[in-house]
């Protein structure tokens, strides 16, 4: 703990205390991205590149977390400690710049291809999530 001088004397500050900003600040004032509402909460995110210095801290954190493992949008929200809606926008933005790949999108949200392949992929993702929950 560090000591800071206040008006009424020394004030103790907790080093573990997080600096919080308003969610609209993180998204640049946007409440949704072009595809953010289409990104399912259980969709798995795979980081394809490392975060750049020009990225926001939240985007760099998403890229760092997903560079070694697949994480769902909900898990990213919990790790980064920001609302799910904000994570959906950030992940959608990162997908547009080809920084991440989102697994488990429905046929209308993913690249053109066979809907049967996409259905099988979605079922595979859901089975993986269920297996992960069962192993807890």
């Amino acid at each position: 703990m560090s000591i800071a001088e206040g008006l009424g004397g020394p004030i103790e500050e907790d080093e573990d205390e997080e600096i919080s900003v308003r969610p609209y600040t993180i998204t640049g004032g946007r409440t949704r991205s072009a595809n953010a509402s289409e990104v399912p909460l259980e969709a798995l995110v795979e980081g394809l590149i490392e975060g750049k210095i020009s990225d926001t801290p939240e985007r760099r954190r998403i890229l760092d977390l997903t560079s070694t493992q697949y994480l769902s949008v909900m898990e990213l929200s919990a790790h980064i400690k920001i609302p799910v809606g904000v994570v959906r926008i950030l992940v959608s933005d990162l997908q547009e710049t080809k920084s991440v790949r989102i697994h488990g999108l429905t046929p209308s949200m993913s690249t053109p291809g066979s809907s049967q392949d996409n259905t099988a992929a979605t079922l595979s993702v859901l089975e993986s999530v269920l297996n992960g929950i069962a192993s807890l």
Side-chain angles (χ1 to χ4, degrees), residues 25-80:
T25 305
I26 298 170
T27 62
R30 295 174 300 138
T31 57
R32 64 180 45 123
S33 181
N35 299 321
S37 62
E38 298 176 357
V39 177
L41 301 178
E42 71 277 1
L44 297 177
V45 181
E46 172 190 10
L48 301 175
I49 64 170
E50 290 185 21
K52 299 175 280 206
I53 293 175
S54 60
D55 286 334
T56 64
E58 295 81 15
R59 289 179 188 206
R60 283 195 305 267
R61 184 78 173 125
I62 289 171
L63 292 171
D64 289 344
L65 287 168
T66 59
S67 65
T68 58
Q69 61 185 339
Y70 290 18
L71 290 174
S72 71
V73 173
M74 289 293 291
E75 290 173 312
L76 286 170
S77 175
H79 283 292
I80 302 171

Side-chain angles (χ1 to χ4, degrees), residues 55 111 117 132:
D55 286 334
T111 58
D117 292 342

